[in-house]
Every structure is written in structure tokens, then in C-alpha cells.
Amino acid sequence: PEDIEGYNLAAKVYLLQKKADLAEIELEKALAIDELNSYSLIYLATKSLNEKKPEKAIELLEKLLDVEPNNITALSFSYFAHKAVNRKEIAINKIVKAYESKQGNTDYKLLYAKVLFSEKDFEKVIDILKDIANSNTIPAQHWGLLADSYVNISQNEKALDTTHSWITAQPLNRNAYLKNISMQENLLNYNDALSSVEKALEAYHAADQFNILRAYFQIHIKNFSLAKNKIYKLSNENKLLTQEEDQQTQIRITKRK
């Protein structure tokens, strides 16, 4: 009865069952044992944020950050809470301190970069994220923030270089291809976008999304006959799939009867 993890686990189960009221009773029990229980404080703080009560959220988060100044979840929500009451610099300063104390930690680097991106300090985002090591393990958000920051300061070639590097480092990452294709489309580089779609299809055989994109860009470059053939083929495949699903549904209904 004095172990807070039991109450936290019970709360998690209630939340999965969509029983928030019962979950909060368990969280309050945990807080009665340890008023600095991070799981309970963060849950109640996010609830306060969702209820448009940022001051209450700040009170709960500050209590936790006083003893756990590098709690990354608390730091993240603290930014949103302080921003809601026009005191964002307080939260940003805490995030900077955590980032500086955790040099080289990907999670803190990304948190700081996301905040800087939100503040439209794109050059600072680039400065933090541009030196890429172990590129095959870097999170998708790292690549995306870096590419978008280049776009926001009109360095489109560097943005495309970033997405190409992402594809090279992680050739089976679907998001890398989609980001690259999206940027080429925005720059009206339809031939390059089509080329990227073809490369994606080499990695993702028979991937519907990329097949549709191929037809889409073929229309843009006025390859209407090829686009028509692709669309016709996709339509037939989808029709067959729908017929198969209908047959499976009928089988299940018959079995129930």
C-alpha cells in the first residue's frame, strides 16, 4: 500500500478503459504517499492544460521541476503552459539549461530545436541540428525540422540536400521519401518528384500511396497516357480488393447465421 507504482499502474489501466475519474482517484492516492510523484503530476498538469488552466499546470510542473530540473516531459509541457500566459522565456531558459547539461543527448537536442522552431528561430535550429553523426539512427523529427528550417530561410537546395541525405542514411524510411517528394512538389520540380517516387517504389514494392503519387506527377508533366494506365490499374486493383473484402464479409455473416 505504500508503493506508488501500484497506484500509477491502476491509473494507467483505468485510462485505457476511458475511466478518467477512477484513474485520478488512484493518482491522488499516489500523490498522498509522494507529492513529487512525476507520473501523477504530469498527468494532472496536462489535464489542466487541456482544460485551459495553464496557471494550475505551471504550479504542478514547477513543483516537479524543482526536484527534477531535467525531466524532459515536464519541460516540454512547461513551455506550452508558460506560452499560454505570455511567460514563455521562463520555460525556455529551463530547457536551455537542460540542453546544455545534457550535451549530445538527442532527446534534449530535439526538444530545444522544436521550441526554437516554434519561436521561428530557424537559423538556430539549423545550427543545433546540422552536424549529423550516426545518421542511420537519427529520429525522423530531426531530419524534418532541419529541412523545414532551411525552407523557412529560403535555402531550398540545402533543404533538398537534407532530405536526400535522410534517404541515403535510412533508405527504407517511408517518411524520408515523402518529405523529399513534398518539397520537390512545393518547388514545382515535378520531374524530380516523379524520380523520387520511382526510387521510393524500388524500396516499397506495390505501395499504393507511391503508385498514386506516380500517376499524380505524370499528370503534372503531361504524361497523360501513362497516368491513365496507372490509374486504371490502381482502380482495378482496388475494385478487386473491395470485392474480396465484400466476399469475406458475406462469409462472416453466413457463419454467424
Side-chain angles (χ1 to χ4, degrees), residues 238-249:
N238 287 334
K239 189 183 291 184
L240 289 170
L241 183 62
T242 303
Q243 288 172 351
E244 185 180 336
E245 287 173 346
D246 288 343
Q247 289 170 358
Q248 292 298 325
T249 301

Side-chain angles (χ1 to χ4, degrees), residues 156-172:
N156 296 319
E157 287 304 316
K158 287 191 175 180
L160 284 171
D161 286 345
T162 299
T163 56
H164 284 305
S165 295
W166 185 6
I167 290 170
T168 300
Q170 300 173 10
L172 294 180

Side-chain angles (χ1 to χ4, degrees), residues 146-148 150-151 155-167 176 179-187 189 192-193 196:
L146 182 57
D148 286 338
Y150 279 125
V151 169
Q155 293 192 20
N156 296 319
E157 287 304 316
K158 287 191 175 180
L160 284 171
D161 286 345
T162 299
T163 56
H164 284 305
S165 295
W166 185 6
I167 290 170
K179 189 69 172 176
N180 180 248
I181 293 163
S182 173
M183 287 191 166
Q184 287 166 328
E185 181 187 14
N186 290 338
L187 294 169
N189 295 340
D192 289 344
S196 294

Side-chain angles (χ1 to χ4, degrees), residues 51-164:
E51 293 174 347
K52 311 297 184 189
K53 298 175 182 176
E55 293 286 6
K56 179 61 178 175
I58 289 169
E59 178 188 334
L60 293 165
L61 293 167
E62 288 299 305
K63 184 185 289 189
L64 177 57
L65 288 168
D66 282 345
V67 292
E68 295 183 30
N70 293 335
N71 187 304
I72 197 163
T73 307
L75 287 168
S76 180
F77 285 119
S78 176
Y79 169 71
F80 294 113
H82 279 93
K83 190 172 184 178
V85 295
N86 297 314
R87 298 200 302 270
K88 60 188 179 184
E89 289 305 322
I90 295 172
I92 293 173
N93 288 336
K94 290 179 184 289
I95 290 169
V96 171
K97 286 181 181 178
Y99 164 72
E100 289 175 347
S101 70
K102 297 282 187 178
Q103 283 289 341
N105 184 293
T106 301
D107 293 332
Y108 289 91
K109 182 186 288 188
L110 265 180
L111 172 60
Y112 188 28
K114 284 188 285 186
V115 168
L116 290 167
F117 191 90
S118 178
E119 296 298 316
K120 302 187 186 306
D121 192 348
F122 304 117
E123 291 188 356
K124 184 68 173 175
V125 175
I126 292 167
D127 187 52
I128 289 173
L129 299 181
K130 67 181 179 181
D131 294 326
I132 296 172
N134 300 320
S135 55
N136 60 324
T137 60
I138 284 179
Q141 203 165 38
H142 184 125
W143 293 103
L145 280 170
L146 182 57
D148 286 338
S149 294
Y150 279 125
V151 169
N152 276 287
I153 61 171
S154 300
Q155 293 192 20
N156 296 319
E157 287 304 316
K158 287 191 175 180
L160 284 171
D161 286 345
T162 299
T163 56
H164 284 305

